[in-house]
Amino acid sequence: MMGHQRDIMAALGIDLWIPKDAMCLQHQPAIWRDQAPAEVISEIILQQTSDVADLIAQQPELAPVERVNSLDIQPKLAEAPVIVQEPIVPALQIPAFSIEAIVLAKAVVLIDSTAVTADQQLLWRNIQRAVSAEFYQLQWPFAWQNMQDGRGAASYVQGFSDALSADKNVLCLGDIPHLQSSSSIRLASLQEMLDQPLLKKRLWQFMQNKIKE
């Protein structure tokens, strides 16, 4: 029986078979105690070490980094656009003036009311009472500071006249300051009518639209 078991164990590659119930004593030859264990070097570690050395040897040499002076690296600021300032032209100062107007059905009557006398003012009021009319007034300079340049006075006066005289005759009693309209009709001034009362008749004819020039 024992021989047969040994044959089976030998077939399994087991050189020594000890029964289960036998006492197992650890026995090592005395010579093993005096021998140092053989150094085991892993082939895997050697292979990895060799591969890393090859990779290091294959790396190209890096060029030395040139040191750049930090003062040489400055951000370039965008150049500010050049602003060309136009020369400041001072406002043209002109004397203050006042223009009054009455608007009739067929005509507009303008007078220079800058410096009227008491007699002229009375005549002007009598003219207004004689007809049904609307009253308007233009005073220079304007209250707005940015609209007091005398270069625009003629435009303002012309605009004042045009706004009131749509499809109407413009009758000027004397000279009207800064009015440059060629379509206006100049009649006798208030003072001229005071000096020559017959001149009032011509004004009345124009106001009634009985005379066309």
Side-chain angles (χ1 to χ4, degrees):
M1 182 66 180
M2 295 294 294
H4 179 66
Q5 291 179 348
R6 289 192 184 96
D7 294 338
I8 295 175
M9 298 297 292
L12 295 175
I14 301 174
D15 295 335
L16 179 63
W17 176 80
I18 300 175
K20 182 177 181 181
D21 54 352
M23 182 180 296
C24 295
L25 297 176
Q26 185 176 4
H27 175 74
Q28 294 181 348
I31 192 171
W32 286 11
R33 182 182 58 192
D34 300 333
Q35 294 179 354
E39 183 179 359
V40 179
I41 301 175
S42 174
E43 295 181 357
I44 297 177
I45 296 176
L46 292 177
Q47 182 66 26
Q48 291 180 351
T49 305
S50 177
D51 293 342
V52 172
D54 293 340
L55 290 175
I56 295 174
Q58 293 176 4
Q59 290 293 329
E61 295 184 0
L62 299 178
V65 178
E66 183 179 356
R67 184 176 182 181
V68 181
N69 191 351
S70 60
L71 297 178
D72 297 337
I73 304 176
Q74 295 293 339
K76 293 184 178 180
L77 300 177
E79 296 182 358
V82 179
I83 301 176
V84 180
Q85 295 183 352
E86 297 182 357
I88 299 176
V89 180
L92 178 62
Q93 300 297 329
I94 60 175
F97 63 88
S98 175
I99 299 175
E100 294 182 1
I102 56 174
V103 180
L104 310 176
K106 298 295 183 179
V108 176
V109 183
L110 302 178
I111 69 165
D112 180 7
S113 59
T114 305
V116 294
T117 64
D119 293 340
Q120 294 172 0
Q121 185 65 36
L122 179 59
L123 175 59
W124 177 236
R125 290 179 180 175
N126 290 336
I127 294 173
Q128 297 179 46
R129 293 192 189 101
V131 293
S132 177
E134 296 179 354
F135 177 83
Y136 296 90
Q137 185 179 32
L138 170 66
Q139 291 185 339
W140 180 273
F142 291 121
W144 299 307
Q145 186 66 31
N146 60 342
M147 297 182 65
Q148 295 182 1
D149 192 343
R151 295 179 181 84
S155 299
Y156 293 131
V157 173
Q158 187 62 51
F160 176 72
S161 174
D162 293 343
L164 301 178
S165 61
D167 300 328
K168 296 179 176 66
N169 293 324
V170 179
L171 308 177
C172 300
L173 304 187
D175 296 328
I176 305 301
H178 305 284
L179 180 62
Q180 301 176 354
S181 175
S182 58
S183 60
S184 61
I185 302 173
R186 187 189 185 282
L187 300 177
S189 64
L190 294 175
Q191 187 59 46
E192 291 173 343
M193 286 187 285
L194 288 174
D195 297 337
Q196 302 179 35
L198 293 178
L199 297 177
K200 299 177 186 178
K201 181 180 180 180
R202 192 165 187 264
L203 171 60
W204 182 255
Q205 291 173 342
F206 273 101
M207 292 172 62
Q208 297 295 322
N209 198 29
K210 294 180 179 181
I211 296 178
K212 294 184 179 180
E213 294 187 1

